Amino acid sequence: MNEMSVKPATETLMANAIRALTMDAVQAANSGHPGAPMGMADVAAVLFNRFMTLDPKAPNWADRDRFVMSAGHGSMLVYAINHLLGYGDMDMDQLRNFRQFGYRTAGHPEYGHADGIETTTGPLGQGITTAVGMALAERMHNARFGDDLVDHYTYVIAGDGCLMEGISHEAIDMAGHWQLGRMIVLWDDNKITIDGATNLSTSTDQKARFAAAGWHVLSIDGHNAGEIADAIDEARRDPRPSLIACRTIIGYGAPNKQGTSATHGAPLGDDEIAATREALNWPHPRFEIPQPVYEAWQAIAKRGAATRAAWERRLAASPMGKDFTASLSGPDAKALDKAISAYKAQLSKDAPKVATRKASEMALEVINATLPNSVGGSADLTGSNNTRTSEMTPVSKDTYGGSYIHYGIREHGMAAVMNGIALHGGFLAYGGTFLCFADYARGAMRLSALMGLPVTYVMTHDSIGLGEDGPTHQPVEHLASLRAMPNMLVFRPCDAVETAEAWQIAVTQSRTPSTLALSRQGLPTVRTDHARDNLTARGAYVLRGADGPRDITLIATGSEVEIALKAADMLAELNINAAVVSAPCFELFAQQDPAYRAGVLGNAPRVGVEAAVQQGWNAILGENSTFIGMTGFGASAPAGQLYQHFGITPQAVAQAAVSLHNQEV
Amino acid sequence: MNEMSVKPATETLMANAIRALTMDAVQAANSGHPGAPMGMADVAAVLFNRFMTLDPKAPNWADRDRFVMSAGHGSMLVYAINHLLGYGDMDMDQLRNFRQFGYRTAGHPEYGHADGIETTTGPLGQGITTAVGMALAERMHNARFGDDLVDHYTYVIAGDGCLMEGISHEAIDMAGHWQLGRMIVLWDDNKITIDGATNLSTSTDQKARFAAAGWHVLSIDGHNAGEIADAIDEARRDPRPSLIACRTIIGYGAPNKQGTSATHGAPLGDDEIAATREALNWPHPRFEIPQPVYEAWQAIAKRGAATRAAWERRLAASPMGKDFTASLSGPDAKALDKAISAYKAQLSKDAPKVATRKASEMALEVINATLPNSVGGSADLTGSNNTRTSEMTPVSKDTYGGSYIHYGIREHGMAAVMNGIALHGGFLAYGGTFLCFADYARGAMRLSALMGLPVTYVMTHDSIGLGEDGPTHQPVEHLASLRAMPNMLVFRPCDAVETAEAWQIAVTQSRTPSTLALSRQGLPTVRTDHARDNLTARGAYVLRGADGPRDITLIATGSEVEIALKAADMLAELNINAAVVSAPCFELFAQQDPAYRAGVLGNAPRVGVEAAVQQGWNAILGENSTFIGMTGFGASAPAGQLYQHFGITPQAVAQAAVSLHNQEV
């Protein structure tokens, strides 16, 4: 970039500004992590000064370079840089109140709290993997709109922790496989973790490891501006993703503490801060930055603004401009509603008996035909998750124009990559695995929820109904554990119609991820009366009213709705009037007004039915109730036998209802 | 081993017996995975025939070699081998009823279902990581009792799926770091996954990757007995852990389907089975094995029995024999009870105000002094989790005699390694991280619960009370999600006394893992009246009775018990008599008899208090109640401010109580 005009002395000052702001803010908060920002300040200064393209006036500009601080505890590096660059919402008051209530400067960078934070990091390994999703989305968007509109890099600062976490293996394997040459990881190789030296717990040759995954690998002194610049320059030109191992001194500049774990996660203390100011020849008071240093940083912003202006002109002139802009907007909800409605009408007429995983594929055929930026995938269970629709072609290093991602056997990585795709923009991501393996993906699923990213998890084989694979593959606690997560919609549709409705809700969310729990086994269509309204959007509704005054309410989800309906038939023969409520989404039901909720639940005793643990049901069931479900792990056998063995049958539901009814009368 | 006496033709027959039993059993079940057992049959035949030491008559003999089928879907390989070896509980009827209800031959190998199944596998990557724990425990046990008593190998068959999962990175990094030279991984390098060729989703050079982690790496033709034997022999002699890349053909022997994903997870079909019998020159009927083949397999058992007899003589003669046997038995519950009781009495007297994470360390000082085989560790948060007690020294490749494990930043790996240590025997394992990162470890924690392994998860920083680190580090749904898991005890003690009681319960479990949720912030000792009984063992109990007829019951856990007590004081000033119930373990409370439960909960309205989501509380609260807790994610700020902001205060609890009380009167 501007290599000729760079004065190393200026970059040292730029880096020292990061160091000073970091140590001052951590001291003011009396908590935080000075080590990583001080150690990586030189690398960051050179990266931003010579290479980063961004415009603080348009923080969400589509073609900006992405910067991900995967070592999220080093959040002060991000806040200091964004302050110095002149982001409007990152004034000095924010830094003075680092980690305080109501400020944007949270302990770890939180997406949405301030401009220029590309993703939430802190749980280690998430940033580097989310960045893989961003870098993949960049190439996929480029394949659709060309170099004029999509041409940016994804830079990551990762620490030892990120590289020790298992998810990092999934990340680097994917990035190497997809040859994401515009992804550049700057590894803060400081040889220190919280417990002490890295050699307490690891002996892996990280450079050899990345090379084994197809990466381009470089080693530099992370405090030498020339080496930093040369390495980034070379990395940008190499067609492979690049790891730059930056040998650094943690807490660089603190004369008595640098190079030790003492700088990792605690304030340096006033004396050491004073000594650091002296050692760095940084005589300025706390939270004061000399004007020339501001000017040096803000030159980056000026350069970026000019680049963006040229890009805006290209966009305006591009015949693809409208499609490009549309790709970054939400889905066409109206067109989708029309298509789903027609599809639902047909379903109610045809009444197919299909597994909801198959119904999901059928719904996706409609959705993917309507929403051109839908991107699907599976963690190596494509044929089981039914995630690939007829028109989808695979994404690979040679075919970024595809829209189906073979994520491999990497559930956690898939979830984080979906987060990255959503954060990058341009695509609507969904991906599948077995519901049981939500456990593997949970770290990244929680970040979907925390960041409010509208990604969709297609979780099939959602109960003992999967049969012979046995308890390791049979979720029993997973519905409860996902329902416990804030801002996650958990759908368990009972038939093809509800599955279509759930999908419609999921893909039109703007701030909430969704999990679809889908059956392996075939289920009849129970919604044979077409309703234009999306009944699933109410969370729960009366699927079949009682024939007369309601004696009992049977409430079920997913594959157990069929069981509840059969139980209602049995009860009718005993002159007990049962209403059957389908409850495909507890979270949406909880959002309904009390009158609607009361009407659905009624005053009669209730029986809940779900092939899972009871936790989470009591709020719906109340006290005069019985729950028919699981109390422990499943077993390996054909599904029908398991339902019998665990007593999740129409007979058991009817008996529970009779028993409650007899107590009433 | 017996290399001179081996006839390759015999080993081919031994392998074909595995193939035949596999394809017949999968066909009979009409579900299952023939590909891996058929592909790895030659490797398994040579491994068992020439190297494995085991005795089916003493399946739990401590010094047996361990065999882990990490690619657990290939369970028929294990069942076929154990049948052929003559395990008493694996007769042909078990194989005929593969994957059927009530049989030991579950879809995936389930620990405890049959002898000779060393660990439950199926969730990919768990087996190889659990095996790291076994191999580490072998060295640690060896360091204590010497080569005469502890001298065995750990063999693993791993597939591509195992090696793509992130946890495999944690596994191989640990095994390399600890130089577990007696761990030998046989990689089924068949280039096929469910979705198709491995090159759909991965480009990693696995051999280079393992070498980067410090492993000894070999490549062989997995169908060539000589190469297999030479490689295993070399691997056993190398001081590093070994990867043997076995180039195999998936579904080997099936003339039309071998080498394709069609053999991975579906029956071959009658025609292909017939063709396979012909191709393998295996004319025997379904589920019939010629006597000479049985004899060849059972020669392994005979060899093992002789080896064991010699070992038993050494054990009987050893001065360490008694200690060795004791190390494999449960903890000395009586000695522990005495020590904990004395410690509790002192605590009630001293009434320290300490965080429960610190109280956990104090309790561990007592426990570790009493139970010599306690092994602790942390995922790089030793100082925060307070897991290392004063006498503990680290385990390393040079000091297997240590008892503290620096697991590195590897929560999932830590949990699986603890499972492996527990399965190996000889040690009582606990390990720590932040409660929030239970999400990372959940895949292995579920296996602790499913297998019934008494390991203890020390989960500190258990709420918004951790303060400034913010929502990425603040658990809100984790208590609920762990309580949802069958067979997991979740403790949230309120002070140092309850923490000691929780630890006592955890370390004396025989079939149940425990999670201790512990505070970062200081908490007063509220149990100032010493009780010899372990009150925590009741799950919940009246900590402070009402002063007169009970008007209201306040129920709290952990750090919120202090808040409930303050609220009770406020209510007393309003002449409202509140009882305060501490509920450190919901699971144990659910196990109490109804009369005890009713007595604790009382008939008055109830207020529940926990800095977490409500899910899971309704069963305790009933309908006439209020819950004070979290409804979404936390925030970054000092803990006190967060409690105020989220309304988890004595005032809020008292107000809720007043409101409920007013409705009553």
Side-chain angles (χ1 to χ4, degrees), chain B residues 570-607:
Chain B
M570 291 177 176
L571 291 168
E573 294 190 14
L574 302 170
N575 291 317
I576 297 174
N577 295 326
V580 176
V581 170
S582 179
C585 183
F586 286 16
E587 297 78 26
L588 291 175
F589 187 57
Q591 293 169 18
Q592 305 304 309
D593 64 72
Y596 175 79
R597 287 175 50 86
V600 170
L601 296 176
N603 294 316
R606 299 168 197 159
V607 181

mmCIF file of all heavy atoms in Angstrom, chain B residues 570-607:
data_model
loop_
_atom_site.group_PDB
_atom_site.id
_atom_site.type_symbol
_atom_site.label_atom_id
_atom_site.label_comp_id
_atom_site.label_asym_id
_atom_site.label_seq_id
_atom_site.Cartn_x
_atom_site.Cartn_y
_atom_site.Cartn_z
ATOM 1 N N MET B 570 -35.332 -8.293 55.869
ATOM 2 C CA MET B 570 -36.216 -7.177 55.510
ATOM 3 C C MET B 570 -37.677 -7.539 55.753
ATOM 4 O O MET B 570 -38.463 -6.725 56.235
ATOM 5 C CB MET B 570 -36.053 -6.830 54.028
ATOM 6 C CG MET B 570 -34.723 -6.204 53.681
ATOM 7 S SD MET B 570 -34.663 -5.952 51.894
ATOM 8 C CE MET B 570 -33.088 -5.127 51.781
ATOM 9 N N LEU B 571 -38.019 -8.749 55.393
ATOM 10 C CA LEU B 571 -39.411 -9.186 55.552
ATOM 11 C C LEU B 571 -39.778 -9.278 57.026
ATOM 12 O O LEU B 571 -40.914 -8.964 57.410
ATOM 13 C CB LEU B 571 -39.615 -10.542 54.858
ATOM 14 C CG LEU B 571 -39.536 -10.478 53.325
ATOM 15 C CD1 LEU B 571 -39.441 -11.878 52.719
ATOM 16 C CD2 LEU B 571 -40.744 -9.739 52.745
ATOM 17 N N ALA B 572 -38.810 -9.693 57.844
ATOM 18 C CA ALA B 572 -39.072 -9.784 59.286
ATOM 19 C C ALA B 572 -39.481 -8.422 59.832
ATOM 20 O O ALA B 572 -40.362 -8.314 60.691
ATOM 21 C CB ALA B 572 -37.832 -10.319 60.009
ATOM 22 N N GLU B 573 -38.851 -7.379 59.312
ATOM 23 C CA GLU B 573 -39.208 -6.029 59.771
ATOM 24 C C GLU B 573 -40.635 -5.658 59.385
ATOM 25 O O GLU B 573 -41.246 -4.773 59.981
ATOM 26 C CB GLU B 573 -38.227 -5.003 59.212
ATOM 27 C CG GLU B 573 -36.830 -5.225 59.787
ATOM 28 C CD GLU B 573 -35.877 -4.090 59.467
ATOM 29 O OE1 GLU B 573 -36.356 -3.024 59.028
ATOM 30 O OE2 GLU B 573 -34.666 -4.287 59.653
ATOM 31 N N LEU B 574 -41.141 -6.341 58.355
ATOM 32 C CA LEU B 574 -42.531 -6.110 57.927
ATOM 33 C C LEU B 574 -43.471 -7.151 58.551
ATOM 34 O O LEU B 574 -44.621 -7.291 58.128
ATOM 35 C CB LEU B 574 -42.616 -6.190 56.397
ATOM 36 C CG LEU B 574 -41.722 -5.212 55.634
ATOM 37 C CD1 LEU B 574 -41.706 -5.542 54.145
ATOM 38 C CD2 LEU B 574 -42.199 -3.775 55.857
ATOM 39 N N ASN B 575 -42.932 -7.881 59.528
ATOM 40 C CA ASN B 575 -43.709 -8.937 60.187
ATOM 41 C C ASN B 575 -44.171 -10.034 59.220
ATOM 42 O O ASN B 575 -45.242 -10.603 59.379
ATOM 43 C CB ASN B 575 -44.919 -8.361 60.931
ATOM 44 C CG ASN B 575 -44.467 -7.567 62.136
ATOM 45 O OD1 ASN B 575 -43.572 -7.987 62.864
ATOM 46 N ND2 ASN B 575 -45.063 -6.388 62.317
ATOM 47 N N ILE B 576 -43.374 -10.267 58.222
ATOM 48 C CA ILE B 576 -43.641 -11.400 57.329
ATOM 49 C C ILE B 576 -42.599 -12.467 57.641
ATOM 50 O O ILE B 576 -41.394 -12.198 57.603
ATOM 51 C CB ILE B 576 -43.568 -10.968 55.842
ATOM 52 C CG1 ILE B 576 -44.665 -9.939 55.547
ATOM 53 C CG2 ILE B 576 -43.691 -12.175 54.928
ATOM 54 C CD1 ILE B 576 -44.594 -9.336 54.165
ATOM 55 N N ASN B 577 -43.073 -13.658 57.980
ATOM 56 C CA ASN B 577 -42.166 -14.727 58.405
ATOM 57 C C ASN B 577 -41.691 -15.528 57.192
ATOM 58 O O ASN B 577 -42.454 -16.288 56.598
ATOM 59 C CB ASN B 577 -42.881 -15.678 59.365
ATOM 60 C CG ASN B 577 -43.263 -14.985 60.643
ATOM 61 O OD1 ASN B 577 -42.546 -14.088 61.113
ATOM 62 N ND2 ASN B 577 -44.402 -15.384 61.204
ATOM 63 N N ALA B 578 -40.435 -15.348 56.862
ATOM 64 C CA ALA B 578 -39.894 -16.064 55.707
ATOM 65 C C ALA B 578 -38.987 -17.185 56.163
ATOM 66 O O ALA B 578 -38.151 -16.996 57.058
ATOM 67 C CB ALA B 578 -39.116 -15.095 54.831
ATOM 68 N N ALA B 579 -39.165 -18.346 55.535
ATOM 69 C CA ALA B 579 -38.164 -19.409 55.673
ATOM 70 C C ALA B 579 -37.217 -19.291 54.488
ATOM 71 O O ALA B 579 -37.631 -18.935 53.385
ATOM 72 C CB ALA B 579 -38.836 -20.775 55.668
ATOM 73 N N VAL B 580 -35.938 -19.588 54.732
ATOM 74 C CA VAL B 580 -34.965 -19.568 53.640
ATOM 75 C C VAL B 580 -34.478 -20.983 53.396
ATOM 76 O O VAL B 580 -33.977 -21.648 54.312
ATOM 77 C CB VAL B 580 -33.777 -18.636 53.950
ATOM 78 C CG1 VAL B 580 -32.742 -18.705 52.835
ATOM 79 C CG2 VAL B 580 -34.270 -17.204 54.139
ATOM 80 N N VAL B 581 -34.671 -21.433 52.158
ATOM 81 C CA VAL B 581 -34.228 -22.767 51.754
ATOM 82 C C VAL B 581 -33.007 -22.625 50.864
ATOM 83 O O VAL B 581 -33.030 -21.862 49.896
ATOM 84 C CB VAL B 581 -35.355 -23.504 50.997
ATOM 85 C CG1 VAL B 581 -34.832 -24.792 50.367
ATOM 86 C CG2 VAL B 581 -36.519 -23.799 51.940
ATOM 87 N N SER B 582 -31.959 -23.331 51.200
ATOM 88 C CA SER B 582 -30.805 -23.438 50.305
ATOM 89 C C SER B 582 -30.977 -24.709 49.480
ATOM 90 O O SER B 582 -31.294 -25.763 50.026
ATOM 91 C CB SER B 582 -29.504 -23.484 51.103
ATOM 92 O OG SER B 582 -28.406 -23.601 50.223
ATOM 93 N N ALA B 583 -30.782 -24.580 48.177
ATOM 94 C CA ALA B 583 -31.050 -25.718 47.275
ATOM 95 C C ALA B 583 -29.825 -26.005 46.418
ATOM 96 O O ALA B 583 -29.824 -25.791 45.208
ATOM 97 C CB ALA B 583 -32.262 -25.422 46.399
ATOM 98 N N PRO B 584 -28.770 -26.529 47.040
ATOM 99 C CA PRO B 584 -27.515 -26.672 46.288
ATOM 100 C C PRO B 584 -27.528 -27.742 45.198
ATOM 101 O O PRO B 584 -26.665 -27.717 44.332
ATOM 102 C CB PRO B 584 -26.487 -27.019 47.370
ATOM 103 C CG PRO B 584 -27.278 -27.570 48.513
ATOM 104 C CD PRO B 584 -28.592 -26.846 48.468
ATOM 105 N N CYS B 585 -28.493 -28.654 45.222
ATOM 106 C CA CYS B 585 -28.483 -29.714 44.193
ATOM 107 C C CYS B 585 -29.907 -30.173 43.894
ATOM 108 O O CYS B 585 -30.495 -30.947 44.658
ATOM 109 C CB CYS B 585 -27.625 -30.899 44.651
ATOM 110 S SG CYS B 585 -27.503 -32.188 43.394
ATOM 111 N N PHE B 586 -30.445 -29.701 42.775
ATOM 112 C CA PHE B 586 -31.821 -30.047 42.404
ATOM 113 C C PHE B 586 -32.012 -31.549 42.219
ATOM 114 O O PHE B 586 -33.062 -32.101 42.548
ATOM 115 C CB PHE B 586 -32.205 -29.341 41.092
ATOM 116 C CG PHE B 586 -32.470 -27.867 41.221
ATOM 117 C CD1 PHE B 586 -32.074 -27.131 42.336
ATOM 118 C CD2 PHE B 586 -33.131 -27.185 40.202
ATOM 119 C CE1 PHE B 586 -32.320 -25.767 42.438
ATOM 120 C CE2 PHE B 586 -33.396 -25.830 40.292
ATOM 121 C CZ PHE B 586 -32.989 -25.114 41.410
ATOM 122 N N GLU B 587 -30.990 -32.204 41.661
ATOM 123 C CA GLU B 587 -31.139 -33.632 41.346
ATOM 124 C C GLU B 587 -31.294 -34.441 42.632
ATOM 125 O O GLU B 587 -32.108 -35.360 42.705
ATOM 126 C CB GLU B 587 -29.930 -34.145 40.554
ATOM 127 C CG GLU B 587 -29.747 -33.484 39.190
ATOM 128 C CD GLU B 587 -29.136 -32.096 39.247
ATOM 129 O OE1 GLU B 587 -28.411 -31.783 40.212
ATOM 130 O OE2 GLU B 587 -29.392 -31.294 38.325
ATOM 131 N N LEU B 588 -30.487 -34.121 43.645
ATOM 132 C CA LEU B 588 -30.598 -34.871 44.901
ATOM 133 C C LEU B 588 -31.904 -34.544 45.611
ATOM 134 O O LEU B 588 -32.513 -35.411 46.236
ATOM 135 C CB LEU B 588 -29.390 -34.570 45.804
ATOM 136 C CG LEU B 588 -28.049 -35.118 45.295
ATOM 137 C CD1 LEU B 588 -26.904 -34.662 46.194
ATOM 138 C CD2 LEU B 588 -28.081 -36.649 45.215
ATOM 139 N N PHE B 589 -32.351 -33.310 45.496
ATOM 140 C CA PHE B 589 -33.630 -32.958 46.120
ATOM 141 C C PHE B 589 -34.774 -33.729 45.472
ATOM 142 O O PHE B 589 -35.690 -34.206 46.159
ATOM 143 C CB PHE B 589 -33.867 -31.447 46.018
ATOM 144 C CG PHE B 589 -35.072 -30.975 46.788
ATOM 145 C CD1 PHE B 589 -35.199 -31.217 48.156
ATOM 146 C CD2 PHE B 589 -36.100 -30.281 46.144
ATOM 147 C CE1 PHE B 589 -36.322 -30.774 48.863
ATOM 148 C CE2 PHE B 589 -37.219 -29.831 46.844
ATOM 149 C CZ PHE B 589 -37.331 -30.083 48.205
ATOM 150 N N ALA B 590 -34.707 -33.899 44.162
ATOM 151 C CA ALA B 590 -35.763 -34.643 43.460
ATOM 152 C C ALA B 590 -35.815 -36.093 43.908
ATOM 153 O O ALA B 590 -36.863 -36.744 43.796
ATOM 154 C CB ALA B 590 -35.540 -34.562 41.949
ATOM 155 N N GLN B 591 -34.680 -36.594 44.438
ATOM 156 C CA GLN B 591 -34.643 -37.993 44.876
ATOM 157 C C GLN B 591 -35.173 -38.185 46.298
ATOM 158 O O GLN B 591 -35.304 -39.319 46.759
ATOM 159 C CB GLN B 591 -33.200 -38.525 44.827
ATOM 160 C CG GLN B 591 -32.634 -38.646 43.419
ATOM 161 C CD GLN B 591 -31.137 -38.926 43.423
ATOM 162 O OE1 GLN B 591 -30.576 -39.356 44.430
ATOM 163 N NE2 GLN B 591 -30.494 -38.677 42.298
ATOM 164 N N GLN B 592 -35.425 -37.104 47.028
ATOM 165 C CA GLN B 592 -35.891 -37.250 48.413
ATOM 166 C C GLN B 592 -37.355 -37.702 48.437
ATOM 167 O O GLN B 592 -38.088 -37.537 47.469
ATOM 168 C CB GLN B 592 -35.752 -35.915 49.164
ATOM 169 C CG GLN B 592 -34.350 -35.331 49.136
ATOM 170 C CD GLN B 592 -33.297 -36.283 49.670
ATOM 171 O OE1 GLN B 592 -33.444 -36.822 50.763
ATOM 172 N NE2 GLN B 592 -32.246 -36.522 48.878
ATOM 173 N N ASP B 593 -37.765 -38.241 49.582
ATOM 174 C CA ASP B 593 -39.155 -38.701 49.657
ATOM 175 C C ASP B 593 -40.100 -37.497 49.697
ATOM 176 O O ASP B 593 -39.708 -36.398 50.104
ATOM 177 C CB ASP B 593 -39.355 -39.616 50.868
ATOM 178 C CG ASP B 593 -39.138 -38.910 52.178
ATOM 179 O OD1 ASP B 593 -39.995 -38.082 52.572
ATOM 180 O OD2 ASP B 593 -38.096 -39.154 52.808
ATOM 181 N N PRO B 594 -41.328 -37.701 49.247
ATOM 182 C CA PRO B 594 -42.279 -36.582 49.113
ATOM 183 C C PRO B 594 -42.491 -35.829 50.425
ATOM 184 O O PRO B 594 -42.635 -34.601 50.411
ATOM 185 C CB PRO B 594 -43.565 -37.256 48.650
ATOM 186 C CG PRO B 594 -43.124 -38.516 47.991
ATOM 187 C CD PRO B 594 -41.896 -38.958 48.736
ATOM 188 N N ALA B 595 -42.486 -36.545 51.546
ATOM 189 C CA ALA B 595 -42.737 -35.876 52.825
ATOM 190 C C ALA B 595 -41.613 -34.888 53.133
ATOM 191 O O ALA B 595 -41.857 -33.761 53.570
ATOM 192 C CB ALA B 595 -42.850 -36.913 53.942
ATOM 193 N N TYR B 596 -40.371 -35.320 52.894
ATOM 194 C CA TYR B 596 -39.255 -34.403 53.146
ATOM 195 C C TYR B 596 -39.352 -33.193 52.231
ATOM 196 O O TYR B 596 -39.203 -32.043 52.663
ATOM 197 C CB TYR B 596 -37.912 -35.126 52.943
ATOM 198 C CG TYR B 596 -36.737 -34.173 53.085
ATOM 199 C CD1 TYR B 596 -36.278 -33.794 54.341
ATOM 200 C CD2 TYR B 596 -36.124 -33.619 51.960
ATOM 201 C CE1 TYR B 596 -35.228 -32.891 54.480
ATOM 202 C CE2 TYR B 596 -35.085 -32.721 52.084
ATOM 203 C CZ TYR B 596 -34.632 -32.359 53.348
ATOM 204 O OH TYR B 596 -33.610 -31.454 53.471
ATOM 205 N N ARG B 597 -39.620 -33.450 50.968
ATOM 206 C CA ARG B 597 -39.716 -32.358 49.992
ATOM 207 C C ARG B 597 -40.813 -31.369 50.414
ATOM 208 O O ARG B 597 -40.599 -30.148 50.384
ATOM 209 C CB ARG B 597 -40.033 -32.909 48.590
ATOM 210 C CG ARG B 597 -38.858 -33.621 47.933
ATOM 211 C CD ARG B 597 -39.268 -34.261 46.601
ATOM 212 N NE ARG B 597 -39.967 -33.322 45.730
ATOM 213 C CZ ARG B 597 -39.357 -32.492 44.893
ATOM 214 N NH1 ARG B 597 -38.037 -32.482 44.802
ATOM 215 N NH2 ARG B 597 -40.062 -31.678 44.143
ATOM 216 N N ALA B 598 -41.964 -31.920 50.796
ATOM 217 C CA ALA B 598 -43.080 -31.057 51.177
ATOM 218 C C ALA B 598 -42.719 -30.230 52.403
ATOM 219 O O ALA B 598 -43.052 -29.042 52.492
ATOM 220 C CB ALA B 598 -44.324 -31.900 51.432
ATOM 221 N N GLY B 599 -42.018 -30.850 53.336
ATOM 222 C CA GLY B 599 -41.623 -30.134 54.536
ATOM 223 C C GLY B 599 -40.689 -28.972 54.239
ATOM 224 O O GLY B 599 -40.811 -27.893 54.812
ATOM 225 N N VAL B 600 -39.757 -29.210 53.349
ATOM 226 C CA VAL B 600 -38.808 -28.150 52.997
ATOM 227 C C VAL B 600 -39.517 -27.030 52.237
ATOM 228 O O VAL B 600 -39.334 -25.842 52.528
ATOM 229 C CB VAL B 600 -37.655 -28.722 52.143
ATOM 230 C CG1 VAL B 600 -36.803 -27.606 51.556
ATOM 231 C CG2 VAL B 600 -36.801 -29.668 52.982
ATOM 232 N N LEU B 601 -40.333 -27.397 51.290
ATOM 233 C CA LEU B 601 -40.947 -26.388 50.421
ATOM 234 C C LEU B 601 -42.104 -25.658 51.112
ATOM 235 O O LEU B 601 -42.384 -24.498 50.813
ATOM 236 C CB LEU B 601 -41.441 -27.034 49.119
ATOM 237 C CG LEU B 601 -40.337 -27.624 48.239
ATOM 238 C CD1 LEU B 601 -40.938 -28.328 47.022
ATOM 239 C CD2 LEU B 601 -39.356 -26.543 47.790
ATOM 240 N N GLY B 602 -42.794 -26.350 52.046
ATOM 241 C CA GLY B 602 -43.887 -25.716 52.782
ATOM 242 C C GLY B 602 -45.072 -25.391 51.894
ATOM 243 O O GLY B 602 -45.083 -25.697 50.693
ATOM 244 N N ASN B 603 -46.067 -24.774 52.528
ATOM 245 C CA ASN B 603 -47.295 -24.436 51.796
ATOM 246 C C ASN B 603 -47.400 -22.963 51.461
ATOM 247 O O ASN B 603 -48.325 -22.531 50.776
ATOM 248 C CB ASN B 603 -48.516 -24.834 52.619
ATOM 249 C CG ASN B 603 -48.594 -26.338 52.775
ATOM 250 O OD1 ASN B 603 -48.380 -27.073 51.814
ATOM 251 N ND2 ASN B 603 -48.861 -26.793 53.995
ATOM 252 N N ALA B 604 -46.482 -22.183 51.957
ATOM 253 C CA ALA B 604 -46.540 -20.741 51.702
ATOM 254 C C ALA B 604 -46.102 -20.447 50.267
ATOM 255 O O ALA B 604 -45.476 -21.282 49.609
ATOM 256 C CB ALA B 604 -45.631 -20.027 52.699
ATOM 257 N N PRO B 605 -46.430 -19.268 49.766
ATOM 258 C CA PRO B 605 -45.926 -18.887 48.441
ATOM 259 C C PRO B 605 -44.395 -18.902 48.438
ATOM 260 O O PRO B 605 -43.771 -18.758 49.493
ATOM 261 C CB PRO B 605 -46.454 -17.469 48.251
ATOM 262 C CG PRO B 605 -47.562 -17.310 49.224
ATOM 263 C CD PRO B 605 -47.261 -18.213 50.379
ATOM 264 N N ARG B 606 -43.845 -19.063 47.242
ATOM 265 C CA ARG B 606 -42.388 -19.237 47.145
ATOM 266 C C ARG B 606 -41.761 -18.199 46.214
ATOM 267 O O ARG B 606 -42.328 -17.874 45.173
ATOM 268 C CB ARG B 606 -42.059 -20.627 46.605
ATOM 269 C CG ARG B 606 -42.564 -21.733 47.508
ATOM 270 C CD ARG B 606 -42.510 -23.106 46.844
ATOM 271 N NE ARG B 606 -43.361 -24.038 47.573
ATOM 272 C CZ ARG B 606 -43.846 -25.171 47.058
ATOM 273 N NH1 ARG B 606 -43.566 -25.531 45.824
ATOM 274 N NH2 ARG B 606 -44.622 -25.933 47.793
ATOM 275 N N VAL B 607 -40.587 -17.760 46.599
ATOM 276 C CA VAL B 607 -39.775 -16.919 45.710
ATOM 277 C C VAL B 607 -38.466 -17.664 45.467
ATOM 278 O O VAL B 607 -37.774 -18.036 46.422
ATOM 279 C CB VAL B 607 -39.480 -15.536 46.331
ATOM 280 C CG1 VAL B 607 -38.649 -14.690 45.365
ATOM 281 C CG2 VAL B 607 -40.779 -14.821 46.675
#
